[in-house]
Amino acid sequence: MPSLDRKLLRDLVSLWGQILAIVLIVACGIASLVTMMSTYESLTLSMDAYYSQYRFADVFVQVRRAPNAVVSQIEAIPGVGQVRSRVVVDVTLDVPGLADPASGRLVSIPEEPQTMLNDVVLRAGRYIEPGRRDEVLVSEAFAAANRLKLGDTVGAVINGRWELLRLVGTALSPEYVYEISGTELLPDNQRFGVMWIGREALANAFDLDGAFNDLALSLTPGASEAEVIFRLDQILERFGGLGAYGRNEQLSHRFLSDDIAALQVTALILPVIFLGIAAFLLNLVLARLVSTQRDQIAVLKAFGYTNGEVGLHFFKLVLVVVLLGAAVGIGLGRWLGGGLTQFYTQFYQFPVIEYRASLGLILGAVGVSAIAAFVGALNAVWGVVVLPPAEAIRPEPPASFQPTLVERLGLQRFFSPAGRIILRNLERRPWQAALSIFGISLAVAILIVGRYQNDGIQQIMAIQFRTIQREDLTLVFNEPRSGRVQYDLAHLPGVLYVEPFRAVPARLRFEHRTRLSGVTGLVPNSQLRQLLDRHLQKVPLPPGGVVLSTKLADLLGVEVGDVLTLEILEGGRPIREVPMVGRVDELLGLTAYMDVQALNALLQEGSAFSGAYLSVDAQQLPELYKTLKQTPAIASVSQRETALRQFQNTIATTSGVFNGVLLVFACIISVGVVYNSARIALSERSRELATLRIIGFTQAEIAFILLGEQGLLTLTAVPVGWGLGYALSQWLNQSPAHNTEMFRVPFVIQPSSYLFTLVVIAIAALLSGGLLARQLQHLDLIAVLKTRE
């Protein structure tokens, strides 16, 4: 073995504690990169394969009723590939074993299996038989959540008639990877499910023989989606078309693509921070190693070793750190990535999802970490290369000393000798102190980032589900009902208070920007659905004009006082100019609000409502549910508490798992940074501390000097880290991953998060201090005091 390699092994052994800490930090960076990028790759590949194999459509549109003859006109639109017309209806279900009413979406399929857009994947059982009007395929998630078996029956209110539907198979569809109804933003597989039923049976039941109310189509390569949507809306307008939209606005795909995009953004940010800290520590360690090995470097050069060979020797130390960190990080990242990919299958329904961590990703992770490490070490190694042998063989010149600020102010009498030594050392080595503070503050910042999203999720649950939404139940009617419906609802069992609302689909336009959304009309001074601004103050609903959620207003580029073009996609499809009169800071979805009477007037209709918010007596819920299940006018029933639980089980759980991994990494980094800082301080101060021991300082006093200095640096670094963490969290909060159209994570950091970081850093400092105290007890005074003069 070459002499330099034997020296490298001795250096690794002597620095094993610091090397281990840096290896763990590099491993955390690589593991986070591999975990999130491999999950991103796996979900993206699974999604693309699923969409391609089962022909997920590119454009969707719902209509009131259109004759089948219109399909040929749509097929003639330039850029249109395949077209599939369907009958799609939402109904109320009575599921065995479920007390409250569930909602089902009946989607028509051909009587015989055939290739089609948005095809179904048969998972168990068989396809429906021709002529059997009661046979359905049910979504696999709905069947599993309700423990339904093949052959079971589910009651359904179909166009005012009570029917029993028999389950003959379970299935999936690329249209419902994320299975939600559209009235809710989160999946509730127990209370909402998709069922596929024969076209003829469903069309007959809803008087749609020879007609359709739902259309899906694919585009040819190079086709203009916007042009196809424009032509499609023109054709379907007279049939009650509700506005066509592309795949990017399809609800299931939107949630999935937003989650995938969030993974990608996170995978590009956090590993850079981790590896940056590792590079910073490597620079400190190598700089210290160079300073203590000046004489050895001089001897090596004097014996003929070139600058390149000596520099390469120190770079090999960096390479060892990178390779060890890569080995640990890749293994940990693949394990965590596989688990995270499988975790996502709880919320997204794929027929097959295969975990993949490509060779390119692995090599890229190692390459990025190597570049970060070598860049961090470059300055220290360059100091080795340019150091002349004659200069290196001389000891470093002593530092110049002068009275400290404390001494110039005459305050030294308030400090013990050990305290004055601590202050002198910090003031006379400001750059070293600043670097130590910066390194520890980065660890604190990582901990803040790991906590902030959890604080934001908790804020969503507190504001959205406790302050904004105050109703117990939300009812949606199968068609608008007259104003007297609120009095009918008030007489239902257990109903304490009723607030009806009117909801219509609409296209909002401002200048060249447009959004397909909806307008909800609320009663004045609504109590069960609050409208709040960013300061959580109630926003009044004026009798004229529209109030937009902040996100929707930003997407349209509209300010209070601007006039919007509102195209209602229902009834007579009126187009009106409406002023924007306010903003509300809702955290879920994109919504526009109006006074319900103003909306009724805009629609040129009398008092009419689409649904109602109810406050109910919990003791009478079973009786109320029984009544609602058998009420033909009710299309869906949703509970606020159920929605809250679903939010906790989806977004909060996903965020919790991710933040849990991040916090583990952050804690490892915190311990590594604090320990390295303390260990470097011991190496630099060992001669000074040994001298103090010899001239009479006790073991406790020199421990106080070293640990007190580190404690002071750590306490100074904590508020700096809080500031860095706050800024970094605020920057992340503005990224697309945390500010989507579906939900926005509010920027909030609770005092408990700052306290948590302080506790973690304090524990890391105490552990590091305990290790240093043990090393001080075994300090070899004679060896340390040997000089090189």
Side-chain angles (χ1 to χ4, degrees), residues 503-572:
V504 293
R507 183 176 282 113
L508 286 73
R509 292 195 182 95
F510 181 71
E511 296 178 345
H512 63 282
R513 292 173 288 273
T514 182
R515 276 289 162 181
L516 194 63
S517 182
V519 180
T520 300
L522 300 177
V523 298
N525 299 315
S526 173
Q527 299 300 311
L528 298 183
R529 182 56 62 99
Q530 302 277 4
L531 301 182
L532 306 176
D533 62 16
R534 61 184 301 179
H535 303 295
L536 302 183
Q537 298 299 312
K538 191 170 181 178
V539 176
L541 200 58
V546 63
V547 174
L548 302 184
S549 63
T550 297
K551 183 65 176 181
L552 180 56
D554 291 342
L555 291 171
L556 291 170
V558 62
E559 299 292 340
V560 173
D562 291 336
V563 177
L564 292 166
T565 299
L566 196 64
E567 179 186 348
I568 302 298
L569 302 174
E570 184 177 295

Side-chain angles (χ1 to χ4, degrees), residues 155-225:
V157 179
I158 298 180
N159 202 15
R161 297 188 301 273
W162 182 259
E163 303 277 354
L164 285 178
L165 302 176
R166 187 170 302 278
L167 314 182
V168 297
T170 59
L172 301 175
S173 170
E175 192 175 8
Y176 296 100
V177 176
Y178 191 73
E179 195 170 325
I180 52 178
S181 64
T183 58
E184 302 289 341
L185 288 177
L186 301 167
D188 184 356
N189 296 130
Q190 193 172 29
R191 294 170 180 81
F192 174 78
V194 181
M195 295 181 175
W196 292 269
I197 189 171
R199 171 73 176 263
E200 182 180 348
L202 192 57
N204 289 340
F206 286 92
D207 193 26
L208 287 168
D209 293 309
F212 64 89
N213 67 357
D214 188 277
L215 195 73
L217 55 90
S218 63
L219 302 177
T220 58
S224 169
E225 181 183 279

Side-chain angles (χ1 to χ4, degrees), residues 711-782:
L712 188 57
L713 291 173
T714 301
L715 288 176
T716 305
V718 168
V720 176
W722 286 344
L724 288 175
Y726 184 93
L728 183 57
S729 298
Q730 192 171 47
W731 178 65
L732 286 173
N733 185 256
Q734 300 304 314
S735 71
H738 298 82
N739 192 20
T740 69
E741 293 184 20
M742 296 304 176
F743 77 97
R744 275 79 62 192
V745 178
F747 179 67
V748 57
I749 302 177
Q750 298 291 350
S752 59
S753 294
Y754 293 111
L755 179 61
F756 173 82
T757 60
L758 179 61
V759 170
V760 171
I761 292 297
I763 292 174
L766 289 174
L767 291 174
S768 302
L771 293 174
L772 290 183
R774 290 187 60 188
Q775 293 178 12
L776 282 174
Q777 291 175 357
H778 299 90
L779 196 62
D780 188 340
L781 303 183
I782 303 301

Side-chain angles (χ1 to χ4, degrees), residues 41 272 275 288 298 395 414 500 535 624 638 642 650 654 667 686 729 784:
E41 282 186 357
V272 171
L275 295 174
R288 179 262 161 190
F414 296 108
H535 303 295
L624 177 60
S638 58
T642 299
T650 52
T654 304
C667 290
S686 57
S729 298
V784 168

Side-chain angles (χ1 to χ4, degrees), residues 279-336:
F280 172 76
L281 290 180
L282 271 173
N283 180 65
L284 290 182
V285 171
L286 281 181
R288 179 262 161 190
L289 192 62
V290 168
S291 67
T292 59
Q293 294 187 1
R294 287 168 58 90
D295 54 346
Q296 298 178 34
I297 294 169
V299 171
L300 290 173
K301 289 186 175 184
F303 274 93
Y305 286 97
T306 65
N307 287 337
E309 289 173 324
V310 175
L312 180 61
H313 162 70
F314 286 97
F315 269 128
K316 284 182 179 179
L317 178 66
V318 178
L319 182 61
V320 170
V321 171
V322 170
L323 291 179
L324 290 175
V328 176
I330 291 170
L332 181 60
R334 285 178 59 88
W335 178 71
L336 289 174

Side-chain angles (χ1 to χ4, degrees), residues 288 291-292 401 417-429 432 677-693 701-710 713 776 779 781 784-785:
R288 179 262 161 190
S291 67
T292 59
F401 293 98
R420 291 199 292 271
I421 290 174
I422 292 174
L423 294 176
R424 287 172 185 168
N425 189 66
L426 291 177
E427 185 171 338
R428 289 166 181 166
R429 298 179 178 178
Q432 290 183 356
S677 177
R679 188 64 183 82
I680 290 171
L682 175 60
S683 300
E684 292 174 341
R685 306 283 303 281
S686 57
R687 176 179 171 80
E688 177 185 337
L689 295 173
T691 302
L692 292 175
R693 279 287 286 127
E701 287 174 322
I702 66 166
F704 174 76
I705 292 172
L706 180 62
L707 300 181
E709 181 179 324
Q710 294 307 302
L713 291 173
L776 282 174
L779 196 62
L781 303 183
V784 168
L785 288 174

Side-chain angles (χ1 to χ4, degrees), residues 316-506:
K316 284 182 179 179
L317 178 66
V318 178
L319 182 61
V320 170
V321 171
V322 170
L323 291 179
L324 290 175
V328 176
I330 291 170
L332 181 60
R334 285 178 59 88
W335 178 71
L336 289 174
L340 187 59
T341 301
Q342 288 302 314
F343 176 78
Y344 272 100
T345 62
Q346 298 179 47
F347 316 113
Y348 297 111
Q349 312 301 319
F350 289 99
V352 176
I353 187 164
E354 182 178 350
Y355 176 70
R356 175 178 176 180
S358 64
L359 180 61
L361 170 61
I362 301 300
L363 294 178
V366 176
V368 168
S369 60
I371 291 171
F374 283 121
V375 168
L378 188 61
N379 182 60
V381 175
W382 179 252
V384 172
V385 172
V386 300
L387 191 63
E391 177 69 21
I393 205 165
R394 294 200 303 263
E396 291 183 84
S400 59
F401 293 98
Q402 59 184 358
T404 64
L405 178 63
V406 171
E407 291 167 334
R408 290 197 298 272
L409 294 175
L411 302 176
Q412 65 270 20
R413 64 182 181 276
F414 296 108
F415 296 91
S416 66
R420 291 199 292 271
I421 290 174
I422 292 174
L423 294 176
R424 287 172 185 168
N425 189 66
L426 291 177
E427 185 171 338
R428 289 166 181 166
R429 298 179 178 178
W431 282 110
Q432 290 183 356
L435 288 175
S436 295
I437 290 171
F438 180 67
I440 298 171
S441 67
L442 286 177
V444 175
I446 290 291
L447 288 169
I448 290 290
V449 171
R451 293 278 299 188
Y452 113 87
Q453 188 167 349
N454 180 67
D455 290 343
I457 295 297
Q458 296 299 319
Q459 188 81 344
I460 290 178
M461 291 189 288
I463 295 176
Q464 189 69 35
F465 295 103
R466 299 297 184 197
T467 307
I468 294 176
Q469 296 178 223
R470 307 173 80 178
E471 74 281 359
D472 296 314
L473 298 180
T474 300
L475 307 184
V476 176
F477 308 140
N478 53 15
E479 60 182 27
R481 300 287 168 175
S482 67
R484 61 169 293 178
V485 71
Q486 59 182 314
Y487 305 107
D488 295 333
L489 292 173
H491 289 89
L492 291 177
V495 174
L496 303 176
Y497 183 66
V498 179
E499 274 187 8
F501 63 85
R502 181 74 168 101
V504 293

